[in-house]
Amino acid sequence: MKLPNDPIVILTFVLALGGNVTWAIIFFTNSIKRKYAAERDFGHLKNNLKTLTDNLTILFKEQDRRFDSQDKDLLEIKAYLIGKGILNREDD
């Protein structure tokens, strides 16, 4: 097989090869950028989930504290009413 001597054919081949190499480099760099962006987005989602979990834990602790306080207040009211004779012990 004989290689062509025509400068136009050689120039066309070199330009096509250069275009393919350029496309490969751009494709590779874009894939690296997409990978980095996906990792960054996953990190943000992970941090948001941790923050939500921490906030829910705080919320449930506060809710338990309030329920305990209300139980204590109701018990004191019930004891007061029983002590004054307004409420009988059997009236639960």
Side-chain angles (χ1 to χ4, degrees):
M1 178 174 179
K2 185 177 179 186
L3 294 175
N5 281 338
D6 192 9
I8 294 177
V9 173
I10 295 172
L11 182 64
T12 304
F13 177 74
V14 169
L15 288 176
L17 184 63
N20 287 335
V21 169
T22 303
W23 174 84
I25 292 171
I26 291 172
F27 180 78
F28 180 71
T29 56
N30 285 340
S31 68
I32 291 174
K33 287 178 187 177
R34 282 192 301 267
K35 179 182 174 190
Y36 172 73
E39 288 174 357
R40 187 185 65 223
D41 289 344
F42 183 74
H44 287 309
L45 290 174
K46 187 176 172 183
N47 291 338
N48 288 344
L49 181 62
K50 184 182 180 313
T51 303
L52 286 173
T53 304
D54 292 344
N55 288 339
L56 281 175
T57 302
I58 292 168
L59 179 69
F60 285 135
K61 284 181 182 177
E62 177 66 18
Q63 188 177 16
D64 286 341
R65 186 192 64 78
R66 287 184 181 191
F67 281 146
D68 290 342
S69 174
Q70 286 179 355
D71 285 344
K72 187 179 82 169
D73 291 344
L74 287 173
L75 187 61
E76 289 176 2
I77 292 170
K78 185 177 178 183
Y80 175 79
L81 292 176
I82 289 173
K84 290 294 185 178
I86 299 171
L87 187 67
N88 292 330
R89 291 180 193 253
E90 297 84 26
D91 286 346
D92 292 331

